[in-house]
Amino acid sequence: MGSQGQAATDTGGRTKAATAHFVFVPLMAQGHLIPAVDTALLLATHGAVCTIAGTPATAARVRPTVDSARKSGLQVRLVEFLLDYAEAGLPEGADNMDNVPPECMKNYFEAVALLSGPIERYLRANGPYPTCVVSDFIHPWTTVLAANLGVPRLSFFSMCAFCLLCQHNVERFGAYDGVADDNEPVVVPGLEKRFVVTRAQAPGFFRESAAWKDFADYIERARAEADGVVMNTFEEMEPEYVAGYAAARNMKVWTVGPVSLYHHRCGAGTTLAARGNAATIDADECLRWLDGKEPGSVVYVSFGSIARAEGKQAVELGLGLEAAGHPFIWVLRNADDYDEATRASLDELEARVAGRGLLVRGWAPQVMILSHAAVGGFVTHCGWNSTMEAMAAGLPVVTWPHFTDQFLNEKMAVEVLGIGVSVGVTEPLMYRAAEKEIVVGRGVVEDAVRSVMGGGEEAEERRRRARALAVKARAAMQEGGSSHRNLLDLVDRFKPASCGINEACS
């Protein structure tokens, strides 16, 4: 794979790396997996060797992207590891978070932790020897993996520094102490600007339930023991929060985003349509549809890989999009799971908006769509990948958070960056302690879409800020930019020591 892929052999017969060799252990969920793989590919473009560990279902989702990178000469490999379903008490084939029943989620995390041994044995048997483990922060067991290998470990976050710092400060300063109501607002401590959150919106990672306390504590210990942080954001967007989080954690933070821009580099454009999953709609068909629309006229609507509008909400959302009057592409994940009445309503909507509205039942090539000149706005659940992809494309957003970090990401878009309009959801729509119906009405949807897509000084200013942010995002990834410098620094810093690989791993 080129001279940089050559390896030397030490006196013990062990193959050692001639360059940095990063081992990525991503969380097996789309929102974490995709940016981790993109980060690995970016490091590989700067001469690093990257190994990505995953389960079969996970590997299948990203294999086309990785194979394309390998064909272009990048030193990246994707290695599959089977879970022990019987040992962990998991249903056969439940090897990705998308297909794990909620009641089995603890078993799933226990099963993934058992991969430490197989991954270590593979890395010892298949050179070059690793120089750094980059693991999703929800894999605390990788502390043992890295220690056994005798190499540093970096925590990977597919989220922004603002979100992490807010969560950290709320816990560190006991902001919820004495607050009985999960929906009672509190001010995030330790920040210059005033931001208000509730425990329901920002409980801390795995802090929603007492049943997960031990796991949450384990994650926190592992985060505190990491040798640094890799984050899918860029300094120019949130310099005070990147610096604040680095100071709060007392560790180096490498911002390397927007990592989705890897797919815009020379020769990588063909991976846009395949990024993360096989699209339900043909990419060429989608492009032809978009090519027939005026610049900036189309609204793209997607709630990502986990969040989903329930039947009643889907109908209201569709009616709101119809009333707003703008062309739209609406991605409906698991649309076949809706009841007959909801499916009939969606079919009727599709017939009424034929030519103006495109309903995609399943998956769509999101980055490719957002990059098209016809798209002018994005209705999003505020997952950080989607938020960053909107920023990289220079698009304003309608924010509709569903759970966990999405509420803080909404604040980032609306209150920090000024590129978003909220639909007003203030409580989690998923993973709630008690069932509660929360429906955003068609009128609210219509108003929010018109606010983002319409004319007027406020809307134009929002678009101007979004376009300026896209310029900064691209500059960060170009030579001399902050993210580009951080990628180079990672490759340089984690090269094998001049005396060879850490003797602790002999």
Side-chain angles (χ1 to χ4, degrees):
M1 302 176 74
S3 60
Q4 288 179 316
Q6 295 174 357
T9 303
D10 66 14
T11 55
R14 179 182 59 211
T15 303
K16 64 181 181 180
T19 184
H21 177 190
F22 296 94
V23 178
F24 277 78
V25 188
L27 186 70
M28 317 303 179
Q30 291 291 87
H32 296 243
L33 170 67
I34 293 173
V37 171
D38 285 349
T39 302
L41 299 182
L42 283 165
L43 288 168
T45 65
H46 296 298
V49 176
C50 290
T51 297
I52 303 164
T55 58
T58 302
R61 291 184 172 183
V62 297
R63 190 169 297 284
T65 298
V66 174
D67 285 349
S68 176
R70 287 177 61 87
K71 288 175 183 176
S72 73
L74 298 187
Q75 302 171 88
V76 58
R77 60 187 175 187
L78 180 61
V79 186
E80 296 182 16
F81 296 92
L82 290 170
L83 297 183
D84 190 333
Y85 303 111
E87 174 70 17
L90 279 175
E92 192 75 22
D95 68 345
N96 185 286
M97 288 187 68
D98 292 354
N99 57 28
V100 177
E103 66 273 13
C104 296
M105 198 56 73
K106 277 194 173 182
N107 302 68
Y108 172 74
F109 284 119
E110 292 169 2
V112 172
L114 295 176
L115 294 180
S116 182
I119 292 173
E120 180 185 344
R121 289 191 291 273
Y122 173 87
L123 293 170
R124 290 188 180 279
N126 296 272
Y129 200 84
T131 62
C132 181
V133 171
V134 183
S135 73
D136 194 284
F137 78 99
I138 299 180
H139 288 325
W141 53 270
T142 54
T143 54
V144 176
L145 173 66
N148 288 348
L149 292 168
V151 300
R153 177 184 60 88
L154 304 179
S155 290
F156 181 81
F157 289 93
S158 55
M159 54 193 70
C160 62
F162 171 76
C163 170
L164 292 172
L165 184 58
C166 286
Q167 292 277 25
H168 178 81
N169 284 4
V170 164
E171 291 193 53
R172 173 185 172 193
F173 295 109
Y176 299 134
D177 292 352
V179 178
D181 186 349
D182 284 354
N183 292 308
E184 181 177 336
V186 302
V187 176
V188 178
L191 301 180
E192 287 189 17
K193 187 174 178 180
R194 186 177 187 271
F195 297 98
V196 174
V197 297
T198 68
R199 184 189 284 113
Q201 295 169 346
F205 299 110
F206 290 90
R207 299 293 185 188
E208 295 93 339
S209 167
W212 287 90
K213 182 182 183 304
D214 289 346
F215 188 60
D217 290 345
Y218 186 16
I219 288 174
E220 175 55 31
R221 289 194 302 273
R223 290 169 68 187
E225 295 167 6
D227 296 294
V229 170
V230 178
M231 197 180 298
N232 181 23
T233 186
F234 58 103
E235 290 177 20
E236 293 83 352
M237 179 176 67
E238 48 170 348
E240 66 273 42
Y241 302 116
V242 172
Y245 188 70
R249 283 289 177 187
N250 192 28
M251 63 178 61
K252 173 73 175 174
V253 173
W254 287 272
T255 57
V256 296
V259 298
S260 64
L261 289 181
Y262 163 83
H263 299 273
H264 293 272
R265 58 184 282 274
C266 182
T270 55
T271 67
L272 279 173
R275 184 173 181 255
N277 216 321
T280 306
I281 185 172
D282 178 73
D284 290 336
E285 176 190 347
C286 188
L287 285 174
R288 284 193 297 271
W289 190 90
L290 285 167
D291 287 343
K293 301 295 181 286
E294 293 294 320
S297 66
V298 176
V299 183
Y300 177 68
V301 185
S302 175
F303 289 161
S305 59
I306 297 176
R308 175 176 180 267
E310 297 299 328
K312 185 176 179 180
Q313 181 63 83
V315 172
E316 289 294 306
L317 172 52
L319 292 171
L321 291 172
E322 181 182 14
H326 294 276
F328 63 88
I329 297 178
W330 180 14
V331 181
L332 286 151
R333 192 181 68 86
N334 294 341
D336 292 340
D337 293 343
Y338 287 129
D339 59 32
E340 187 176 346
T342 301
R343 292 199 305 271
S345 293
L346 294 174
D347 289 342
E348 291 167 5
L349 169 69
E350 189 170 30
R352 290 196 305 272
V353 299
R356 177 166 72 86
L358 181 62
L359 276 65
V360 180
R361 293 168 174 82
W363 291 94
Q366 179 163 298
V367 173
M368 186 188 76
I369 291 171
L370 294 176
S371 304
H372 197 281
V375 177
F378 183 9
V379 179
T380 175
H381 65 305
C382 301
W384 187 243
N385 285 331
S386 291
T387 306
M388 277 288 274
E389 289 159 12
M391 293 173 187
L395 296 175
V397 292
V398 172
T399 59
W400 196 324
H402 282 62
F403 61 94
T404 60
D405 64 312
Q406 295 167 12
F407 287 94
L408 289 170
N409 295 340
E410 176 184 55
K411 290 184 180 297
M412 181 70 172
V414 177
E415 299 179 37
V416 177
L417 301 173
I419 64 168
V421 173
S422 175
V423 298
V425 174
T426 60
E427 299 180 49
L429 303 176
M430 299 175 64
Y431 309 124
R432 302 174 59 90
E435 288 298 320
K436 179 179 179 181
E437 184 180 63
I438 300 175
V439 177
V440 177
R442 66 192 75 174
V444 175
V445 175
E446 177 185 354
D447 289 346
V449 170
R450 286 187 170 180
S451 181
V452 162
M453 299 295 292
E457 185 176 337
E458 187 176 351
E460 184 51 46
E461 178 62 20
R462 197 179 293 115
R463 284 191 284 269
R464 187 198 65 76
R465 285 192 289 263
R467 289 193 296 267
L469 197 58
V471 172
K472 290 182 179 180
R474 282 168 168 72
M477 297 298 288
Q478 292 169 358
E479 187 171 355
S482 61
S483 294
H484 185 270
R485 292 196 307 271
N486 283 336
L487 287 163
L488 291 176
D489 185 57
L490 281 165
V491 174
D492 183 65
R493 190 173 299 225
F494 292 98
K495 284 180 179 176
S498 58
C499 60
I501 299 171
N502 188 342
E503 291 305 315
C505 54
S506 298

PDB file of all heavy atoms in Angstrom, residues 280 301-303 308-309 314 317 330-336 338 346 349 359-363:
ATOM      1  N   THR A 280     -31.962   4.100   0.176  1.00  0.00           N
ATOM      2  CA  THR A 280     -33.166   3.506  -0.389  1.00  0.00           C
ATOM      3  C   THR A 280     -33.446   4.089  -1.764  1.00  0.00           C
ATOM      4  O   THR A 280     -33.894   3.399  -2.677  1.00  0.00           O
ATOM      5  CB  THR A 280     -34.362   3.775   0.546  1.00  0.00           C
ATOM      6  OG1 THR A 280     -34.028   3.313   1.857  1.00  0.00           O
ATOM      7  CG2 THR A 280     -35.599   3.048   0.060  1.00  0.00           C
ATOM      8  N   VAL A 301     -35.724  17.065   5.182  1.00  0.00           N
ATOM      9  CA  VAL A 301     -36.278  16.682   6.484  1.00  0.00           C
ATOM     10  C   VAL A 301     -35.814  15.277   6.833  1.00  0.00           C
ATOM     11  O   VAL A 301     -36.080  14.319   6.091  1.00  0.00           O
ATOM     12  CB  VAL A 301     -37.822  16.713   6.468  1.00  0.00           C
ATOM     13  CG1 VAL A 301     -38.375  16.435   7.866  1.00  0.00           C
ATOM     14  CG2 VAL A 301     -38.340  18.038   5.933  1.00  0.00           C
ATOM     15  N   SER A 302     -35.113  15.138   7.949  1.00  0.00           N
ATOM     16  CA  SER A 302     -34.679  13.808   8.399  1.00  0.00           C
ATOM     17  C   SER A 302     -34.419  13.848   9.892  1.00  0.00           C
ATOM     18  O   SER A 302     -33.843  14.806  10.403  1.00  0.00           O
ATOM     19  CB  SER A 302     -33.414  13.369   7.667  1.00  0.00           C
ATOM     20  OG  SER A 302     -32.936  12.141   8.183  1.00  0.00           O
ATOM     21  N   PHE A 303     -34.824  12.779  10.580  1.00  0.00           N
ATOM     22  CA  PHE A 303     -34.593  12.650  12.018  1.00  0.00           C
ATOM     23  C   PHE A 303     -33.513  11.618  12.341  1.00  0.00           C
ATOM     24  O   PHE A 303     -33.430  11.117  13.465  1.00  0.00           O
ATOM     25  CB  PHE A 303     -35.893  12.282  12.740  1.00  0.00           C
ATOM     26  CG  PHE A 303     -36.903  13.407  12.784  1.00  0.00           C
ATOM     27  CD1 PHE A 303     -38.237  13.146  13.027  1.00  0.00           C
ATOM     28  CD2 PHE A 303     -36.516  14.721  12.590  1.00  0.00           C
ATOM     29  CE1 PHE A 303     -39.172  14.175  13.081  1.00  0.00           C
ATOM     30  CE2 PHE A 303     -37.437  15.762  12.636  1.00  0.00           C
ATOM     31  CZ  PHE A 303     -38.764  15.492  12.885  1.00  0.00           C
ATOM     32  N   ARG A 308     -37.538   8.999  15.543  1.00  0.00           N
ATOM     33  CA  ARG A 308     -38.608   8.654  14.603  1.00  0.00           C
ATOM     34  C   ARG A 308     -39.890   9.351  15.023  1.00  0.00           C
ATOM     35  O   ARG A 308     -40.240   9.376  16.196  1.00  0.00           O
ATOM     36  CB  ARG A 308     -38.813   7.137  14.601  1.00  0.00           C
ATOM     37  CG  ARG A 308     -39.976   6.630  13.772  1.00  0.00           C
ATOM     38  CD  ARG A 308     -39.976   5.105  13.811  1.00  0.00           C
ATOM     39  NE  ARG A 308     -41.077   4.530  13.035  1.00  0.00           N
ATOM     40  CZ  ARG A 308     -42.257   4.205  13.541  1.00  0.00           C
ATOM     41  NH1 ARG A 308     -42.495   4.403  14.832  1.00  0.00           N
ATOM     42  NH2 ARG A 308     -43.191   3.670  12.778  1.00  0.00           N
ATOM     43  N   ALA A 309     -40.589   9.941  14.051  1.00  0.00           N
ATOM     44  CA  ALA A 309     -41.886  10.563  14.329  1.00  0.00           C
ATOM     45  C   ALA A 309     -42.940   9.472  14.447  1.00  0.00           C
ATOM     46  O   ALA A 309     -43.085   8.645  13.545  1.00  0.00           O
ATOM     47  CB  ALA A 309     -42.248  11.523  13.205  1.00  0.00           C
ATOM     48  N   ALA A 314     -46.120  12.104  12.474  1.00  0.00           N
ATOM     49  CA  ALA A 314     -45.754  12.044  11.064  1.00  0.00           C
ATOM     50  C   ALA A 314     -46.807  12.716  10.192  1.00  0.00           C
ATOM     51  O   ALA A 314     -46.477  13.448   9.241  1.00  0.00           O
ATOM     52  CB  ALA A 314     -45.548  10.589  10.631  1.00  0.00           C
ATOM     53  N   LEU A 317     -46.534  16.492  10.712  1.00  0.00           N
ATOM     54  CA  LEU A 317     -45.333  16.984  10.054  1.00  0.00           C
ATOM     55  C   LEU A 317     -45.550  17.102   8.545  1.00  0.00           C
ATOM     56  O   LEU A 317     -45.201  18.118   7.924  1.00  0.00           O
ATOM     57  CB  LEU A 317     -44.150  16.051  10.356  1.00  0.00           C
ATOM     58  CG  LEU A 317     -42.840  16.283   9.609  1.00  0.00           C
ATOM     59  CD1 LEU A 317     -42.370  17.723   9.716  1.00  0.00           C
ATOM     60  CD2 LEU A 317     -41.767  15.328  10.124  1.00  0.00           C
ATOM     61  N   TRP A 330     -38.354  14.377   2.266  1.00  0.00           N
ATOM     62  CA  TRP A 330     -38.636  13.934   3.633  1.00  0.00           C
ATOM     63  C   TRP A 330     -38.246  12.462   3.759  1.00  0.00           C
ATOM     64  O   TRP A 330     -38.803  11.611   3.067  1.00  0.00           O
ATOM     65  CB  TRP A 330     -40.116  14.138   3.931  1.00  0.00           C
ATOM     66  CG  TRP A 330     -40.561  13.722   5.304  1.00  0.00           C
ATOM     67  CD1 TRP A 330     -39.794  13.442   6.388  1.00  0.00           C
ATOM     68  CD2 TRP A 330     -41.913  13.536   5.734  1.00  0.00           C
ATOM     69  NE1 TRP A 330     -40.563  13.104   7.459  1.00  0.00           N
ATOM     70  CE2 TRP A 330     -41.871  13.157   7.091  1.00  0.00           C
ATOM     71  CE3 TRP A 330     -43.148  13.666   5.095  1.00  0.00           C
ATOM     72  CZ2 TRP A 330     -43.026  12.885   7.812  1.00  0.00           C
ATOM     73  CZ3 TRP A 330     -44.295  13.403   5.826  1.00  0.00           C
ATOM     74  CH2 TRP A 330     -44.243  13.014   7.165  1.00  0.00           C
ATOM     75  N   VAL A 331     -37.286  12.179   4.638  1.00  0.00           N
ATOM     76  CA  VAL A 331     -36.818  10.814   4.853  1.00  0.00           C
ATOM     77  C   VAL A 331     -37.599  10.207   6.017  1.00  0.00           C
ATOM     78  O   VAL A 331     -37.552  10.717   7.141  1.00  0.00           O
ATOM     79  CB  VAL A 331     -35.308  10.785   5.159  1.00  0.00           C
ATOM     80  CG1 VAL A 331     -34.837   9.342   5.346  1.00  0.00           C
ATOM     81  CG2 VAL A 331     -34.528  11.447   4.035  1.00  0.00           C
ATOM     82  N   LEU A 332     -38.305   9.116   5.728  1.00  0.00           N
ATOM     83  CA  LEU A 332     -39.130   8.435   6.727  1.00  0.00           C
ATOM     84  C   LEU A 332     -38.495   7.085   7.063  1.00  0.00           C
ATOM     85  O   LEU A 332     -38.592   6.126   6.308  1.00  0.00           O
ATOM     86  CB  LEU A 332     -40.546   8.211   6.180  1.00  0.00           C
ATOM     87  CG  LEU A 332     -41.430   9.452   6.102  1.00  0.00           C
ATOM     88  CD1 LEU A 332     -42.425   9.326   4.975  1.00  0.00           C
ATOM     89  CD2 LEU A 332     -42.155   9.647   7.421  1.00  0.00           C
ATOM     90  N   ARG A 333     -37.806   7.036   8.193  1.00  0.00           N
ATOM     91  CA  ARG A 333     -37.179   5.790   8.612  1.00  0.00           C
ATOM     92  C   ARG A 333     -38.242   4.828   9.149  1.00  0.00           C
ATOM     93  O   ARG A 333     -39.136   5.228   9.881  1.00  0.00           O
ATOM     94  CB  ARG A 333     -36.136   6.077   9.702  1.00  0.00           C
ATOM     95  CG  ARG A 333     -35.213   4.917  10.011  1.00  0.00           C
ATOM     96  CD  ARG A 333     -34.253   5.296  11.117  1.00  0.00           C
ATOM     97  NE  ARG A 333     -34.928   5.469  12.392  1.00  0.00           N
ATOM     98  CZ  ARG A 333     -35.182   4.477  13.243  1.00  0.00           C
ATOM     99  NH1 ARG A 333     -34.849   3.238  12.938  1.00  0.00           N
ATOM    100  NH2 ARG A 333     -35.773   4.720  14.390  1.00  0.00           N
ATOM    101  N   ASN A 334     -38.139   3.563   8.765  1.00  0.00           N
ATOM    102  CA  ASN A 334     -39.079   2.530   9.224  1.00  0.00           C
ATOM    103  C   ASN A 334     -40.532   2.913   8.942  1.00  0.00           C
ATOM    104  O   ASN A 334     -41.426   2.701   9.778  1.00  0.00           O
ATOM    105  CB  ASN A 334     -38.902   2.252  10.723  1.00  0.00           C
ATOM    106  CG  ASN A 334     -37.555   1.624  11.034  1.00  0.00           C
ATOM    107  OD1 ASN A 334     -36.903   1.077  10.147  1.00  0.00           O
ATOM    108  ND2 ASN A 334     -37.132   1.692  12.267  1.00  0.00           N
ATOM    109  N   ALA A 335     -40.777   3.458   7.776  1.00  0.00           N
ATOM    110  CA  ALA A 335     -42.127   3.894   7.419  1.00  0.00           C
ATOM    111  C   ALA A 335     -43.120   2.737   7.396  1.00  0.00           C
ATOM    112  O   ALA A 335     -44.318   2.932   7.644  1.00  0.00           O
ATOM    113  CB  ALA A 335     -42.106   4.590   6.057  1.00  0.00           C
ATOM    114  N   ASP A 336     -42.631   1.537   7.110  1.00  0.00           N
ATOM    115  CA  ASP A 336     -43.523   0.368   7.045  1.00  0.00           C
ATOM    116  C   ASP A 336     -44.072  -0.015   8.415  1.00  0.00           C
ATOM    117  O   ASP A 336     -45.021  -0.798   8.505  1.00  0.00           O
ATOM    118  CB  ASP A 336     -42.783  -0.835   6.437  1.00  0.00           C
ATOM    119  CG  ASP A 336     -42.470  -0.622   4.962  1.00  0.00           C
ATOM    120  OD1 ASP A 336     -43.123   0.231   4.340  1.00  0.00           O
ATOM    121  OD2 ASP A 336     -41.570  -1.318   4.449  1.00  0.00           O
ATOM    122  N   TYR A 338     -45.544   2.010  10.462  1.00  0.00           N
ATOM    123  CA  TYR A 338     -46.721   2.803  10.801  1.00  0.00           C
ATOM    124  C   TYR A 338     -47.991   1.976  10.599  1.00  0.00           C
ATOM    125  O   TYR A 338     -48.024   1.045   9.780  1.00  0.00           O
ATOM    126  CB  TYR A 338     -46.796   4.054   9.921  1.00  0.00           C
ATOM    127  CG  TYR A 338     -45.779   5.116  10.270  1.00  0.00           C
ATOM    128  CD1 TYR A 338     -44.961   5.659   9.286  1.00  0.00           C
ATOM    129  CD2 TYR A 338     -45.641   5.584  11.571  1.00  0.00           C
ATOM    130  CE1 TYR A 338     -44.029   6.639   9.591  1.00  0.00           C
ATOM    131  CE2 TYR A 338     -44.713   6.555  11.886  1.00  0.00           C
ATOM    132  CZ  TYR A 338     -43.908   7.078  10.895  1.00  0.00           C
ATOM    133  OH  TYR A 338     -42.993   8.056  11.209  1.00  0.00           O
ATOM    134  N   LEU A 346     -50.018   9.192   4.561  1.00  0.00           N
ATOM    135  CA  LEU A 346     -48.764   9.541   3.900  1.00  0.00           C
ATOM    136  C   LEU A 346     -48.860   9.312   2.388  1.00  0.00           C
ATOM    137  O   LEU A 346     -48.310  10.089   1.596  1.00  0.00           O
ATOM    138  CB  LEU A 346     -47.612   8.737   4.499  1.00  0.00           C
ATOM    139  CG  LEU A 346     -47.277   9.054   5.963  1.00  0.00           C
ATOM    140  CD1 LEU A 346     -46.214   8.104   6.487  1.00  0.00           C
ATOM    141  CD2 LEU A 346     -46.805  10.496   6.112  1.00  0.00           C
ATOM    142  N   LEU A 349     -50.795  12.204   0.990  1.00  0.00           N
ATOM    143  CA  LEU A 349     -49.936  13.387   0.948  1.00  0.00           C
ATOM    144  C   LEU A 349     -48.992  13.306  -0.248  1.00  0.00           C
ATOM    145  O   LEU A 349     -48.818  14.282  -0.985  1.00  0.00           O
ATOM    146  CB  LEU A 349     -49.129  13.494   2.243  1.00  0.00           C
ATOM    147  CG  LEU A 349     -48.004  14.534   2.252  1.00  0.00           C
ATOM    148  CD1 LEU A 349     -48.569  15.944   2.241  1.00  0.00           C
ATOM    149  CD2 LEU A 349     -47.082  14.334   3.462  1.00  0.00           C
ATOM    150  N   LEU A 359     -40.948  11.794  -0.875  1.00  0.00           N
ATOM    151  CA  LEU A 359     -40.915  11.014   0.358  1.00  0.00           C
ATOM    152  C   LEU A 359     -40.016   9.809   0.148  1.00  0.00           C
ATOM    153  O   LEU A 359     -40.232   9.010  -0.766  1.00  0.00           O
ATOM    154  CB  LEU A 359     -42.318  10.559   0.753  1.00  0.00           C
ATOM    155  CG  LEU A 359     -43.179  11.561   1.551  1.00  0.00           C
ATOM    156  CD1 LEU A 359     -43.499  12.778   0.705  1.00  0.00           C
ATOM    157  CD2 LEU A 359     -44.462  10.890   2.041  1.00  0.00           C
ATOM    158  N   VAL A 360     -38.995   9.688   0.981  1.00  0.00           N
ATOM    159  CA  VAL A 360     -38.043   8.577   0.905  1.00  0.00           C
ATOM    160  C   VAL A 360     -38.294   7.664   2.095  1.00  0.00           C
ATOM    161  O   VAL A 360     -38.091   8.058   3.246  1.00  0.00           O
ATOM    162  CB  VAL A 360     -36.586   9.078   0.919  1.00  0.00           C
ATOM    163  CG1 VAL A 360     -35.620   7.897   0.832  1.00  0.00           C
ATOM    164  CG2 VAL A 360     -36.345  10.054  -0.221  1.00  0.00           C
ATOM    165  N   ARG A 361     -38.740   6.464   1.829  1.00  0.00           N
ATOM    166  CA  ARG A 361     -39.049   5.509   2.904  1.00  0.00           C
ATOM    167  C   ARG A 361     -37.829   4.627   3.147  1.00  0.00           C
ATOM    168  O   ARG A 361     -37.624   3.630   2.474  1.00  0.00           O
ATOM    169  CB  ARG A 361     -40.281   4.684   2.535  1.00  0.00           C
ATOM    170  CG  ARG A 361     -41.571   5.520   2.486  1.00  0.00           C
ATOM    171  CD  ARG A 361     -42.718   4.758   1.838  1.00  0.00           C
ATOM    172  NE  ARG A 361     -43.986   5.483   1.918  1.00  0.00           N
ATOM    173  CZ  ARG A 361     -44.351   6.455   1.093  1.00  0.00           C
ATOM    174  NH1 ARG A 361     -43.530   6.828   0.112  1.00  0.00           N
ATOM    175  NH2 ARG A 361     -45.508   7.072   1.236  1.00  0.00           N
ATOM    176  N   GLY A 362     -37.021   5.043   4.129  1.00  0.00           N
ATOM    177  CA  GLY A 362     -35.798   4.292   4.425  1.00  0.00           C
ATOM    178  C   GLY A 362     -34.621   5.233   4.594  1.00  0.00           C
ATOM    179  O   GLY A 362     -34.592   6.042   5.502  1.00  0.00           O
ATOM    180  N   TRP A 363     -33.644   5.133   3.688  1.00  0.00           N
ATOM    181  CA  TRP A 363     -32.417   5.913   3.797  1.00  0.00           C
ATOM    182  C   TRP A 363     -32.211   6.779   2.570  1.00  0.00           C
ATOM    183  O   TRP A 363     -32.608   6.417   1.463  1.00  0.00           O
ATOM    184  CB  TRP A 363     -31.213   4.976   3.952  1.00  0.00           C
ATOM    185  CG  TRP A 363     -31.194   4.259   5.256  1.00  0.00           C
ATOM    186  CD1 TRP A 363     -31.703   3.019   5.514  1.00  0.00           C
ATOM    187  CD2 TRP A 363     -30.658   4.718   6.491  1.00  0.00           C
ATOM    188  NE1 TRP A 363     -31.524   2.697   6.828  1.00  0.00           N
ATOM    189  CE2 TRP A 363     -30.886   3.717   7.455  1.00  0.00           C
ATOM    190  CE3 TRP A 363     -30.010   5.892   6.882  1.00  0.00           C
ATOM    191  CZ2 TRP A 363     -30.466   3.841   8.778  1.00  0.00           C
ATOM    192  CZ3 TRP A 363     -29.592   6.012   8.198  1.00  0.00           C
ATOM    193  CH2 TRP A 363     -29.831   4.994   9.138  1.00  0.00           C
TER     194      TRP A 363
END
